[in-house]
Each structure stands twice: as C-alpha cells, then as structure tokens.
C-alpha cells in the first residue's frame, strides 16, 4: 500500500520487487552497499556491475561506502568515463553536516575534470524539507521512510437525508449535496444538491461527485495505478492550482 | 494491518468485522448514529436495540445525535434504568469547547439521580493528548484516526561481518553483536558478540536477539496477535519500565 | 460607570435597568434562561413571550438552554415563522469547540428551510478577538465582562510653567503647550504654546486643547452620554483614522 | 470604588481626600512636586514643610524633582538630620534603567554618612512585578494605575433548582449546592447541598456560603471596609494558604 | 589593534593617545569626570576648561556627573552661550530607562531657550542597537567596549593545487581560483582560475584577488590606516551595496 | 595576546611558534594537512613523519584528509601499531552531522581490533558547546577561533574619594573600598575600606585588592604566564568554586 500510494502521488518508480509487480510497473534501483562491502572497493564493484548487467540499465555508482564521496566520485568517473550515468550518495547522517555543501563539492570536482554529464542521486533518511533544500543540487531522490507515513485523511460516512427529508446529527450539515468545481477560479464549493452554480465568478461549474457504488456493487472497475497517477499529476498542473508546495505539505 | 497493530499494542478490541476475523477476535462496538437518525429519537432507538439484541451484549446508548448530552444522558438512564450499561459521547468537535467539563457535567447529573453504575464511553477524533487529559472522567475510549498513523520506525539491513571479518560501511559499527538487557537496571546494551556483560551494575545480562530466519526460512511459526499483545503488556508492566507515557509517545 | 463607558464608546444599548436610566437611554435585552428553565421548553417559553409582550419588542428566542442550537433554531423558527426576529446563542463555553462552525450550521439549516430573515444574536463571555472572528456570521453581540475592564489610561497633572517661566521636573517637558491636529495627515503634535504649525505637510493645524476648568469651576456643563458617543463615532469615521482596529485595541 | 478595593485588599491607606472620607479613613501622602517646583529647591521646600506642618506628620522628602536622587538624598538628610523620616523617589521612567541599583546607591550613601534611620519610599507607575522586585530595598510603595484596573471576576446568577427539582441549562451543574472548605487541607469543594463531607483527608468541613439576601432584602448590614480588610488579611495568613503570590496574581 | 580596526572601519577618531600615535592620527575626546569631581561643579569645570584650553578645541560639556542632564544642559548653555559646542551625556545605565526620551527632553529644553546650535554627544556602554535606536537624536557617539570585540573572522590556509594538479582535502574545493566581482550586480563569484566570466547578467567581471606575498616577501608596503579607511567607506557607498546595516551586523 | 590569554586561562599549550616564544613555552601541534596532500596518502605521510622526527614527539596521525575517519583510523593503527600515540580528526563541518557518533564509531573500530591505547584528538571550528558535548569521547581538543574572541570585560577608572572625602558621580558608590573574600563561603564582598568583616557566616575575610601601581610605577614585576596560569587553575579548584561551568561561560 505504501509503494502504491507513493507511485500514485507522483513518484517515478518503486524499488521493492513485489510492490512493483502488484502495481504493474518495472522495479528500479541502484547497486546495494552489500556488493561493495563484499567486493571491497567501489570502483571494482561498479566495473563488475558494468560488465555483467544488460546495457539498458543506467550505470549509477554508489559512492559513500568506504571513502569520502568527493574522491570516490572522481575515481569512479575516471574509471567508467562516458559510460557512467550517475553517482548515488547515501551519505550516513553522522557525516552530513552540510549535505548541500558535499553535493556542491562533488559537482565542482566532477565538472572541473570534465564529467558534467554525471548525475547526482541522493538517498538516506530524506525528509520533505531535505528534498526542498537539496533539489537545486540533485538530479534524483530515493526516499523511503519520509514518504511512508503520511497523516491519515479523516472522513466519515453520515446519513444526511432520509427519503428526501434533510436530517443530520449535530455538527453535520443536513441534505443531499453537490460538490461543484468552478472552471473559472478552480475552487470547490459544497452546495445543496441541484444548485447549478455556487461561485460569483463567471466560470462554469463541474460536478465533482461520481457514483462509485450502486446497491452495494461497484459501478465500474477501479482505474490502474498508472491512470490514477496520471490524473493526480494532471490536477497538480491545472492552472488554478497555485498553492505553494510548502503549504500543501503543511510545513 | 492498522487494526492488528492497535490490538497488538494493547487495545481491548476492534470494531471492523473483517479486521476482527483476520486477527481471530470478536468485533465490538455500539449503536451507530444511523439507527437514531432513522428512528428519530435517542431513547426510542436505544429501547428498540434493547428489545432485539441478545442479552449478552452490553447496552451502550449513543447520546450526542440530536440533543445536548447532559439531558439525553438523564433521559436514556431514566428510561432503561439498571439495564443501561453505558452512554457514548461522540460529541462533534464544534461543540467540544471543554470536553472534560461536559463529561463531568454528565457524570454529576447521572450521579445526582442515582445512576452511578452507568459508564462513560467517548469517541470522535481523539488524539493521544485527549485520551491522557480525559482518562480520569472516562471508562472507555473509541479511537480511530488518532491511532492509525504511527510514525514509521526506521531500520535497515546491513552487512557488518563477512566470513568472520568485521566490516561495515561508514556510519555503521562493524562486527557481529549482542543486545544484552541487564536484569538489574533494565537497560539494553549493544556489545561485540560474545561479550558476556556490558553493565557496571550487578544485574544479570540477558541476550535479546533471537534467530527468526535460517537460510531464508522462518525458524518457527509467528505468534498469534493475542500472544504478541500479551507480551507487549507484560513488557510495559516490567518494574524497570518507568518511563512516563508522554515520553514513550514523544509528546 | 462601566455601562456609561461602553455606551459612550459606541455600543448600541445597555441591558441593566438602573444603568440605562442613569445614562438616559431605554434598556434592551432578550428572554432570560430563567423563563425557559421554569416553563421547561424553549418553544413554549418563546410562544408565551410572544403572547404577552407588546408587539414593538422584537421576538428573539434564546436557543441554547436544553438542546442543541441547530435543532432548537429550526423548531422555534417553524413554530413562530415570520414573527421570529432572531435567535440568541448563549452557548456555554464547554460546548463551543468551533463557535463559528455552529453559527454557520444554524445559518445553513435556517436558510435551507426558508428562514433567512431570522437574525443571529450571540452572547456569553465574548472577548474582543471572539467578536472580530465571529462578526461575519453574527448580526448582534451581547458583551459583558469582555468590555468591563479596559486598561487604565495613565495621566498626571504637572506644573510646567510658573508665571510665564518654563519649569518642569525631570522627565517632563517644560512650558505651556498646544496640541495641534493637522487636518492634512490627521496626526497630533505637541508643540510650545502659540507655535502655529507643527507639521511638514500642507494640512491646516487645529488646536485640540479646550478650557474645561477656570479658577476651579467648570466652564460649561458636560455633554450628555449620547453626545459623547456621537463624537466618538464621528472621530472613528474621520478619513485620517485608518489605524487597524486590532492595533487600536492593542491585540 | 478603586480606592475602596485597594484598601480592602490590604493597602495601608489612600491618598485621595474624598476617597478616604468615603471609606472612613484618614488620607495619607507626601509633599507634591508642585511645592518643590514653586520653591525651586528640594531642601528649601522640605524645610518649609517641616516648619509649617504639625509635628505628628512624618517628614518625607521628595527627592527626584531637579537633581539626581543620590545627591539630593544626602543634601536633604544633612539638612534635616534626625528629623527626616524618609525620602520618596518618584524617579521618572526615562531615568530608571535599573531602579533597584539607584535605590541601593541611595541606601549606601545614606548609610555611609550615618542616616540609616531614613526610610525609602518609592512611587511612579509601579507594576506588581516592580513591587516584587524592589521590595527588599524599599520601605513603602505608592501605587496608583498598577492597582486600579484588576481583571473582572466573571460570575452569573443561574437557576439550578425549581421547587426542589434540580434543573439547569446546558453547561451548568443542576441542584442546590454547598461550598465546603476542608479545615485539614484548606481546599474548597462544591458538593450537592447537605453532603456533609467532600474531602478524602480527615479535616473538618466548614460551609462557606452565607445567606445575604432573603426575599430581596439584606439579611444584615454590610461590614465596614476596615472589617473586610481585616478578614482579607486573616485569610491570606491562614496556614493552608501557601500559594505563591506570583500565582495568586497570575504573573 | 582595537583602535586601528575601529578607525579603519569608519570611526572618525580615537581617544587613547598612544593608539592615535600608532595609526598616525590626532587623538580626540572631551572633559573627563575627574575634572568635574575635583572642581565640584559642572559649570565651573567647563568654564575652567574654556579659559585654559586652546581655542581650536570645541567646548563639549560633560553634564551627567552630579545633577540631572536636563537641568545641567540648560545651566551650562546659559553660562557659555554661543561658545558651547556640545554637551556629552555619559548617563549611568541605572538612570537610563528611556535614553532617547532623556535626549529628546534635553533637546526640547535647549531649543526652547535658543540653544539649538548645541550638539548632543552620547557615550557609556553603547551597543550597536543603541546607536541605531538613538541616531536620530544624537550628533556623535563615543563607543568603547561595544566595538572592541567583534566576532573573529574564520579563515584557513589550504593547499588546493600541487604543480598544476588540483588537489584538496575533503570539504575544500580543489584547484586555483579567481574571485570575480560582477560590476553589474556587484556579486562576488568563486570560479576556476582563468574563467573569464561567472555571472548571467551583462556586467563586466573584475578580479578581486591581488598578490600580497611572493616567495615569502611582501610585494609592496601595506597601505596606511587612513587609506584602508577611505577604501572601506568607498566600498560601503558602492551602489550595489544595499544590504541593510542590521543584516551586515548580524542583528 | 590571544595565545597568552588562552594559556593563562588553562590551555595546555599553544601551536604558533612566535606566540610560544613570547610566553616562554615550547610550541606543540600535529602533522599538517599539507604533508598528507603532498605525499598523497595518510599512512605514508605518518610513516615518513615517524621515520624522521625525534622520538620524544608523540606520533599523532591526522586522519581526515582523503578518506573516511573510520577506515583511516584502522589503516594507520594497523600500520604503526603500538607506536601510534593518537589520531586527530579535523573533520570538515560539511561531513559532521553527528561528530560524537563519528568519534564513537572510530573508538569502536579501534577497540574491536585491540588499539584502545590510541587517543582521539579533535580540532576544527570547535565552540565551547562542542567541547562540552564531545568531552566524554575525546582525549584532547585543538581550539582556535572559538577561544580567540572572548567578550570584553567592561571596567572603568573612577575617582571615588578626594582627600579623604567620599565623592562619586551618579551611578557609582562613593568612598574607598575593600574587596573581602570570605574563607567560609568563598563569596566576595565590596565594603567601605577598613570594614573588617562583611559576611554573616563565621569565615575569615581576606582582602583581595593588592597595590600594583604607586605614583605611576609598578610596585613589582608582573608574574610569568606560567605563574598566572597556575594561580588561575588553583582558584578554579578552590572548594567554594562550585559554579557549574556552563554558568561561568554564560551559556
């Protein structure tokens, strides 16, 4: 469920093999620390990977295992050259005084030696604020825990009308309702059912409620994760959606 | 998964029928607002429930639908008398200026009229702090959202030893390890594997790590939720566990 | 004194009979809880009031005594119909989780059933911030404690000139003075007496100091409360007075 | 009313002549700045006062008008000697960087020259915190504004019982009540009327409610301010009253 | 060193005779308290100074020794008249509740009597914030402690290139560098040595690094303090330097 | 002056050669980064140092230049064995997320392999709080900037007595004084000169003021830095000096 929600919400892919299968996508990821620990050297492990793995998989070296990222990045880039797609820094938190400075230092040393095509991947306990802070210096993020426990969305099922008569418990507004989105200002309005218009602006109202269940059965099959994701990205890109990301995330 | 975790962590029961079946327990709950809304009166709905439902189910009236809890509690108690087991307040948040004051007022009115056997049940968007604040005035809590999204516990699987030689990536301590709990001071100590003692106090050390997987297979079947719950409650009751609950919960 | 100050500062009326007489105004108010408690029902009490009281007094039902405001508002409106002028919510603070939401819910239920002419009156421990927050949803406020202990205005009487010679204790500016209000920028300036102008803008200065006592006797009779109130409202409406109300109130 | 409340609450006396008459006490105070401004010198003014005023009035020089308190204190003490009862510092706030340091400096200079019998009086815009901070260095305080606008005590008159039947609006506890003060722990308990005991400690309960009105008439004449003051001081001195003063004052 | 740094950073002069000699400037200052304490009166001491000291030295009276600044300022101005250049307030902190109010009061009294030519000098434990707050009311400041312990500027000497090959320890960017200031936006950019341009705006880049040492010897004699000060003031006045002073000072 | 003050205040030694000469001490320090950068490897540079430098100098390897401290510490310890006195971590701040964790990790790896005799030295932009936080995990600190700009101690020279008559400006206590330290409670008391006792406890008072200048000449030669340092450490160790260090440092 966690991987499905992350993918549906806009992530590019998921790493767990079983999760990827369940949502109908190819899993993606990079070399694990285990390979480097067992082979004993970052460059050797990356060359072994390069030798064995099919050529369609981009070569991303994991450069934080034994040595400092700055020197490993240069070593691995000098060894693989144009074939190196990116480097991944999973820098442990105890070595991360100013992660952005480390990333800019790696970028400087790679660029100074002609490797500006090498992308920077970052992972390891990243929070939303980390991503917002580092995004200028980084080409891709690998996020796990930080995305895995979103706050619950509270909702309840309530009776608001009985055989045409509006009725609701204290604290709930009675009567059947429409949720109209105004195409002009992109605001949603809750109005008595059948009220054709709720907005003072000239935009056209669109009913947002759709029938999902009828007499206890699904009206149609639920969409695939890929489709939900596409719709989510579409809605985020709608011109009326100009809330700053920090506000959406509540930070 | 949410219901399982809540039960395992010490909750007395769960309300969703499917969840209860999956963890091998009987579901439990009270009258819904729907019954009262359809019958139109709290006392009538409670009497109908009392007439029809088997006698082993305790009678708990839901008293926040139409009228103020203070008067409904008295009405329903005067109607059912000794047969009333408890009243449940699902008071909407817009009416909850000082929920403890409302509960104490209901308690006062019930006691003044001789219904001190009637228990108070509370539900509706309760947070941990609400429970801690109200616990003196309440006999049972119904909690949903507030318990359904605990913070993720961050962990990772790391290679720390290869064929007897300690090795670990930067930021991890190398070598196989023991986690010893001292029976004297109830502290846990991470020590090199085989170190028999880690504590300066005279307590006896107990190894806390157990083998779960061997060559990829489970060593034994996992315990039932009921057993995990029992062990969890046992550990919370251990004499050394005197951390205040607010600290355990990080609030 | 409290009622006089409230009236002079802009309140529409006062409820205490003796206070109203002292400031030369008619007292005003609504049905008390006592009547409803004694008759035992809000609708019955309101109908009795409607039957007995002269028709010039607007019918304002007090709807928070026994039941939830949402259902009582609908009941009393359906009983009195067009004759109902308003409803008053003296909702106890323990039931006031989100008072604005309660008011909007009452408004929704009244409007949904065709009673949009019924006004909402609010009372009960209201502070200045409550009034500022609720003002969009409310037609009139009844305020007591919140308005009854304004901060003291500190002032002192000092000798600043003796027979034409400027003299003052440490911490006081010596010499007779004028307080000039500039009609251009509406600022007040303290200047040596007789200085005709104090402001760099082209506005005309007006002396604000008036003689009140001469040789220990009042120069003229003090104005009636109604007159002081009129002048206070006039000054608040002056175009230069654009300080936000929150700043005037020091909140 | 302000002076009456201050006196009743424990102040030693009041300065306004009319107020003192209304509460049946002698007014008290010191030389005003006006005398010193008119005579032009602190020592001269104090000597004139000493010459003219009856001997029963203690000689308290006001030493902040023209010069620094440190030098004026020494000058006036050297001039009046044993006859000087005290000096009063009404130091303007613009000169009061560290008022305690000024007071200690005046004390040092007076003591160094043998005037340790001269008392220090302090006045001028003193707040409660000022009094708490300066109290070690000062013999008496003159307070005006800081004591003149205490927060209102909120109360209301409610019907809680009608012909023996408990009844009350939402938010109020119904039924006639006793307020019992336990002589053991000095706590007050609100209990149903006639409940003889409310406290788990072995202390004896004392009813705190007394009848003031019967059928609209006062049962007995109200006590004189002097008597109310005496009772207030007595209650503050009761052994159970060990709440710190800062908490009583809400600061 | 302290006086040199203060002068170089823009101060108009220094008071210590030895320091002034070392930086090649004339020392400057005012009458000390010692003179007034010994002569026993501010006006007498100022007149004595006026009689003896060469006429090129401006007459600045020190007016806080014995009496309140307000009265001393008037006394000394009436005694010296047009010959008085300024008054200095070294008001002790215990008398400095609202220093700006004291200064405005002195200004008012001097102006009221025709001494608007007399300047106000201020000294005594002034912090940066004091200077920013008082600057409208003051003609000159005498600052000691507040300017004598600026935060250290952290720097280190690092090898970044060895015989043309870029090399640097972890945390440092390798390779010889230029620091280019863009004449368009006045920003400084650190770029690889020889990179002619670093800025996206059309401004012309200027190299900021200059050779100071060659083979261990100074390339040219260091500039005099007066020259460093001139350049410092020039840079502060550059049009691109529009950072608010509070930000520059880190307050 | 900075090095002198640091040494006098209790530091064990100073690194700058010229400073050490001026205070009459031997300079002390470790291998610089320059040597490792030029030789290209930490172990090689440390072995070269070990080969060339006299045996009385302890061998302290600098382990943060190229690789991660954890692996460099093990490499250098395995190469020098018992001859290695300590390792120094000058870890750059961008790699210092949790410096204590890095130090504990280095300690764990060294101990696991039998090098518990190797000491940990730490340097690089350390503040007082860093030292207090790391002190359990570290054997010696190298501090520069953090100790080089202590807050100025404010003092002034004032006339307080003229030919036996006490006189002082406003804000200063007049008269010659003694500073008595009570041997009982170790408090210092400022008292009029000749007052033999100032303390209510039975401790014996000791005069703390000593004559330094007589008629403008030094009474005796000032003590050597070593002697001042000894006295400073002695005073810190006095039984009465139990102020916590955080309070002494004002943090």
């Amino acid at each position: 469920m966690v991987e499905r929600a992350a993918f549906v919400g806009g992530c590019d892919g998921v790493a767990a093999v079983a999760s990827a299968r369940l949502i109908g996508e190819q899993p993606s990821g990079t070399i694990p620390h285990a390979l480097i620990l067992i082979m004993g050297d970052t460059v050797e492990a990356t060359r072994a990977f390069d030798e064995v793995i099919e050529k369609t998989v981009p070569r991303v070296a994991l450069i934080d295992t034994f040595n400092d990222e700055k020197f490993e990045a240069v070593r691995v880039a000098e060894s693989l050259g144009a074939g190196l797609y990116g480097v991944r820094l999973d820098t442990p938190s105890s070595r991360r005084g100013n992660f952005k400075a480390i990333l800019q230092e790696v970028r400087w040393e790679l660029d100074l030696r002609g490797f500006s095509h090498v992308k920077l991947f970052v992972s390891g306990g990243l929070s939303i604020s980390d991503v917002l802070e580092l995004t200028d210096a980084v080409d891709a993020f690998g996020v796990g825990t930080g995305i895995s426990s979103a706050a619950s969305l509270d909702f309840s099922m309530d009776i608001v009308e009985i055989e045409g008569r509006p009725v609701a418990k204290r604290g709930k507004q009675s009567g059947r309702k429409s949720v109209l989105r105004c195409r002009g200002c992109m605001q949603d309005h809750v109005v008595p059912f059948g009220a054709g218009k709720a907005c003072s602006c000239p935009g056209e109202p669109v009913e947002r409620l759709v029938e999902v269940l009828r007499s206890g059965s699904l009206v149609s099959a639920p969409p695939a994760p890929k489709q939900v994701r596409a719709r989510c990205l579409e809605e985020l890109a709608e011109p009326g959606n100009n809330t700053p990301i920090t506000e959406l995330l509540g930070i």
Side-chain angles (χ1 to χ4, degrees), chain A:
Chain A
M1 288 307 291
V2 168
E3 265 98 354
R4 185 185 178 282
F7 178 71
V8 152
C11 288
D12 291 322
V14 303
V17 176
S19 304
R21 194 180 325 119
L22 282 169
I23 61 175
E25 299 291 326
Q26 280 292 328
S28 59
T30 72
I31 300 174
H33 289 106
L35 181 65
I36 300 164
L37 286 166
I38 286 167
M39 300 205 59
D41 181 78
T42 302
V43 171
E44 253 179 79
T46 312
R47 298 190 70 90
F49 179 90
D50 185 38
E51 208 178 299
V52 169
I53 300 293
E54 59 265 43
K55 291 301 172 197
T56 56
V57 175
R59 273 58 186 145
V60 178
L62 176 53
I63 59 169
D64 62 287
T65 312
F66 291 120
N67 294 343
D68 193 80
E69 290 80 353
K70 159 168 154 166
F71 300 111
E72 290 291 70
V74 171
R75 273 183 72 223
V76 88
E78 285 175 345
S79 169
L80 270 80
L84 184 68
Y85 184 77
V87 293
R88 173 177 155 218
L89 295 89
D90 190 60
T91 309
S93 60
S94 58
R95 268 76 168 177
R96 215 185 265 183
N98 186 340
F99 202 10
K100 193 159 197 176
I102 299 179
L103 288 160
Q104 287 166 335
E105 200 180 313
V106 168
R107 188 77 271 161
W108 170 283
E109 302 295 340
L110 288 174
D111 290 356
L112 189 70
R113 289 165 179 82
F115 303 112
S116 30
H117 71 281
V118 174
K119 295 185 188 308
L120 299 193
F121 287 19
V122 162
S123 62
L126 297 169
S127 67
I128 293 171
S129 331
D130 294 333
V131 170
L132 289 173
E133 187 198 340
L134 301 177
T135 194
D136 291 343
V138 167
D139 297 291
F141 292 99
V143 184
T145 307
I147 213 173
S148 70
S149 65
S152 300
L153 288 180
D154 218 359
F155 67 93
S156 62
M157 287 188 299
D158 290 297
I159 289 183
V160 292
E161 197 168 304
I162 299 177
E163 292 168 9
R165 185 175 42 90
V167 61
K169 72 164 272 195
R170 298 154 73 217
K172 307 279 174 179
Q173 295 180 315
S174 66
R176 216 169 144 202
K177 301 181 191 69
S178 286
V179 178
L180 299 181
R181 168 166 294 185
C182 170
R183 302 297 303 181
C185 63
M186 297 307 290
Q187 298 300 306
D188 292 338
H189 303 272
V190 178
V191 295
F193 183 76
K197 190 118 173 63
C199 201
S200 54
C201 86
E204 185 195 1
V206 181
E207 173 64 73
R208 299 276 285 166
L209 296 184
V210 294
E211 197 177 29
V212 172
L213 284 171
R214 189 177 303 150
S215 308
S217 311
L218 283 173
V219 168
S220 59
K226 192 180 292 238
Q227 291 171 296
V228 184
R229 178 170 182 272
R231 180 167 144 200
C232 172
L233 294 176
E234 245 173 68
E235 292 200 352
L236 283 173
E238 270 189 46
N241 268 331
N242 45 18
T243 322
I245 191 161
T246 44
E247 193 178 306
L248 283 176
L249 296 167
I251 55 176

